[in-house]
Each structure stands twice: as structure tokens, then as C-alpha cells.
Amino acid sequence: MRDIALAVMSAGLLASVECQPALAGPHQFGTFIVHARADLAYTSDHDGYCGQSGLASCEDARTTVPADAGSRVWHVLAAFLPESSPRLTGVTFGVEFPADVQIIDHGHCGDFALEYGEWPASETGLAVIWFSPRTTSLVEAAWFGGYCEVPGTVFSLIPHPTQGGTFSDDSTPAVLDSAEGYGALGFGQPGSLLCPVSLGACCFEDGTCERISEAECSARRGEYQGDGIGCAEVECEQPPPPTGACCVRNSEVCIYTDEDTCRGTHLGIWHGVGSPCEPSPCPPVGACCGYWGGCFISWSRNCAEGWWTEGGDCDPFPCPIGACCLPLGNCGVIAPLLCNKAAGEYLGDGTTCDPDPCDSGACCDGEKCTIYRSDICDEVGGVYLGDEVPCDPNPCLEPVPVERRSWGEIKRRYR
């Protein structure tokens, strides 16, 4: 029955580890560390090594041992902030090391443990459970006996392969805190020691955020947002975008602004980050006579379909304009370029449509009648019946065969 109860308890811990999100519990900022007591050598005649780490504070942990110095013992401990109030009932963690590290014995320091994989092989994991809460800032979780004869080798703690690195309290359901770091033991080289420190979101000048300690945040000239605060919970102030010289659209005015404002708000030309307005990089402006006949002040690049004069003014009105006889014979006072685009006949600058200067008449294309200028009628392959000859009634429906009556006669008939 005891084994069944332990199995149920362990399964409950692992289920909570797997399914419950990490919360800010009593073990927030906790880490896993490795410590090898200098005078503790491994012997096969032992009753286990729990309670023999001799470690009083995290900072005193010994994480480097000589290589080829015989078998020794090292401990894995859960470490918490000295000012915290731990209520530890379970941990999960894993190990990773090369084949040069020889593990000859091992044990856990809890009331029960569940091993994952071929524990304690590399990249396997362990869950340790206590029936009553551990309340100290350093809690021995497991020990290893072994040796390594190759200098430069490292035995590392890692997250449990399936459960991650977690600390569980005595709540129901358990509140889980994720480990903030993992230590390592070095054989003939320095290991690593990550003692618990309060972490929080740190906002930097470039608008980025990292979860680090207040001391590191200050050293890196960041703005600390508070212990336990995550970057997802803050909105770091974004720095203003870089500025440079901007030539405001169709003017010689130069201002300092960012690229989006220059191109979007001012429809201008942006010359790049840090570019100067003195000397002015802005192109000259002048009068642009648009093809529709209007005038506006612009750069030459914005006067692609018109006449541009550098330094010119729109008052008095400088643009050419005159009467244009359009293909259908109607008259409009427009610019010569627009007249040409409309296949019209430009009659000259300053000409008017009163009186109407444009001649047109009926143009027959078979039985279809259209009012055209004579030259346009010729271009479309029609027969021009004369100036002012109407299409109503349709003269192109003449019942008399063409060969029996000349076009001259038809034209005279409809004048």
C-alpha cells in the first residue's frame, strides 16, 4: 500500500509539473547548483551522502575539482533567496556530461524519487519528492559518486528532459516555479555557479527588454521594472526614430524628421539618418505648366508631363493655352500638350473658341455617319460630306446607288 501511495503522489507531482503553468510561488528565482566538498571522497562503505554537503551559503559552493584525483562526491542542491520562505516538496531536473565522467554511485535526498531514462546517464532526469516541506534556502536533492581523469570536462545540470526544471510547494494543487539557472561541476577547469538573484524586466534605451537582475540592469544602463516582472507584462518606451534632412514636397524647405514622417506626412524627399539641412540638399523649384493647362510650383521631377521653368512663378499666369479643335469638331481652350494627347488641332497660344474656329461635318463610314473634322474623317477611311453637313437625317443611307450619283451631288444636296 505504501508503494501505491508513493506512486500516486509522484504521478500527481509530475502531472502538475506537466500541465500547470509556472506561477510566482515561494521558490521564485530558485536555481539548481552543484557543490563538491573538498574533503569528501567517495568510498563504497557508506550509508548515503545526504546531509554531508556541508554548504552554508550558495556563494560558498565549490564547483571545480582536480581531474585524476580519485573518486569523490558531489551534491545537487536547490538554492533559494536567503530572504525567501521555501516550502519545497518536489523538484525535477536533469544531468548532462560526456563519457569521460564516470558515475559509480548515486542517490537522492528525498522521501521518494522517480527516475527518467537510464538514470543517472547523461540527458536523463530525476523527480525528487518530500513528504513534509523543506524550509531552508539550500536543500540537498541528490548526490553522485564518481571521477574523471580528463581535464577540461564538465558535469552539467539541465532541465528534466520531459518535465523541465521546477520547484513544487505544499499547496493543493502545487504551485510550480521554474528554475532560473543550472550549475555545473568542472574537472580540471572552472565549473559554473548560478546563485539565486531577484530578476525582473529591464527596459533599455533601444526599446528592448530582458529579464535580468536589478544590478545587471543598472550596469547596462537599463530601467528596472521590478522583481518578478516579466517582459510580457511591460511596455518599454520605444526610442524616437532616427532623423535626417527632409525636403518638403514641391518646396525648397528643409526640415529634420524621420523617414516615415518625411515621405508620408510631407510627401518629401528624405536624405538619410543624420543628413544635414545646411547646405540645403533640396532641389530648386519653379513654375510647372501641366498638360491640362494649370500652373503649380514644383520640383522638375514632379513636372514630368508639362513645361517647367526654374524659379518661375504662376502669377502672372505663364502657361501656353489656346483653342483646340478636337476630333469631333468641338472646340476647347486647353494647353497644347493636352490638345495633342486628345488628337486635336492646336490653333495657337491665346486663340479662343468664340467664334467657333473648328470646321466639321458628316463623315460616312459605310452607312455609319459621324461628325468629324475632314482630316480625321480621312484618317478613319471615311468620306467627308462637307463642313456643317449634319448626320440627322443620315446622309449615308442615300437610296440612290453611289455609281449613279457622285459624292459631289450628295454633298450639294445636304448643304
Side-chain angles (χ1 to χ4, degrees):
M1 291 298 292
R2 177 178 172 80
D3 290 342
I4 294 175
L6 291 176
V8 170
M9 181 181 296
S10 302
L13 169 66
L14 293 181
S16 65
V17 170
E18 185 171 0
C19 301
Q20 186 161 324
L23 302 173
H27 309 115
Q28 188 180 26
F29 311 123
T31 63
F32 286 105
I33 65 172
V34 184
H35 167 61
R37 202 176 97 188
D39 59 349
L40 187 60
Y42 174 79
T43 65
S44 59
D45 182 18
H46 66 84
D47 293 325
Y49 287 94
C50 291
Q52 298 186 42
S53 68
L55 189 62
S57 68
C58 180
E59 290 74 17
D60 294 332
R62 184 169 176 259
T63 60
T64 302
V65 295
D68 194 19
S71 299
R72 62 187 59 255
V73 174
W74 60 93
H75 287 81
V76 175
L77 299 95
F80 307 108
L81 291 171
E83 64 270 20
S84 65
S85 300
R87 303 195 313 273
L88 188 66
T89 59
V91 298
T92 60
F93 65 93
V95 295
E96 182 179 60
F97 52 88
D100 296 324
V101 177
Q102 301 297 314
I103 305 295
I104 57 178
D105 202 354
H106 64 92
H108 67 81
C109 298
D111 295 310
F112 187 71
L114 283 178
E115 299 175 354
Y116 173 83
E118 299 296 325
W119 178 264
S122 181
E123 299 183 10
T124 60
L126 184 70
V128 181
I129 299 160
W130 291 270
F131 297 154
S132 58
R134 309 291 96 174
T135 58
T136 57
S137 60
L138 290 173
V139 180
E140 294 178 5
W143 61 267
F144 297 86
Y147 63 93
C148 178
E149 298 179 347
V150 180
T153 306
V154 176
F155 172 93
S156 301
L157 301 180
I158 61 172
H160 190 288
T162 63
Q163 308 302 324
T166 59
F167 307 106
S168 173
D169 73 352
D170 58 350
S171 302
T172 304
V175 175
L176 304 179
D177 287 297
S178 297
E180 294 287 354
Y182 301 86
L185 179 67
F187 293 88
Q189 76 156 40
S192 62
L193 177 63
L194 298 172
C195 291
V197 292
S198 299
L199 303 179
C202 179
C203 291
F204 296 102
E205 291 182 355
D206 62 358
T208 59
C209 177
E210 289 185 38
R211 192 165 181 264
I212 55 179
S213 68
E214 184 173 8
E216 183 179 356
C217 182
S218 177
R220 295 169 59 182
R221 299 185 179 180
E223 186 175 342
Y224 195 64
Q225 305 297 307
D227 294 346
I229 303 297
C231 284
E233 304 171 56
V234 300
E235 215 172 289
C236 297
E237 184 178 350
Q238 297 300 307
T243 61
C246 173
C247 296
V248 177
R249 184 176 187 266
N250 289 339
S251 77
E252 295 181 8
V253 174
C254 182
I255 62 174
Y256 290 102
T257 187
D258 61 272
E259 182 175 8
D260 288 344
T261 302
C262 179
R263 298 186 189 280
T265 303
H266 300 291
L267 303 177
I269 303 173
W270 198 64
H271 294 274
V273 176
S275 55
C277 277
E278 187 63 42
S280 176
C282 302
V285 297
C288 174
C289 295
Y291 71 86
W292 64 91
C295 178
F296 65 96
I297 302 300
S298 79
W299 302 317
S300 61
R301 60 184 283 178
N302 289 345
C303 191
E305 293 192 273
W307 297 267
W308 183 80
T309 304
E310 180 176 344
D313 198 350
C314 287
D315 186 20
F317 190 75
C319 303
I321 193 171
C324 175
C325 292
L326 298 169
L328 297 181
N330 49 326
C331 181
V333 178
I334 57 178
L337 183 58
L338 181 58
C339 184
N340 292 336
K341 283 180 173 289
E345 181 184 355
Y346 188 68
L347 302 186
D349 297 347
T351 56
T352 67
C353 289
D354 187 20
D356 190 344
C358 304
D359 293 324
S360 60
C363 175
C364 291
D365 181 8
E367 294 184 349
K368 179 183 177 182
C369 182
T370 306
I371 301 296
Y372 277 141
R373 296 198 325 259
S374 60
D375 58 324
I376 299 299
C377 185
D378 290 341
E379 288 180 13
V380 301
V383 178
Y384 189 67
L385 301 188
D387 297 343
E388 300 182 8
V389 174
C391 280
D392 188 17
N394 187 352
C396 304
L397 299 177
E398 171 60 38
V400 179
V402 172
E403 62 270 15
R404 295 182 56 188
R405 180 172 294 182
S406 68
W407 281 112
E409 292 175 315
I410 296 175
K411 289 164 62 177
R412 285 193 296 274
R413 177 177 177 181
Y414 287 98
R415 283 192 183 276

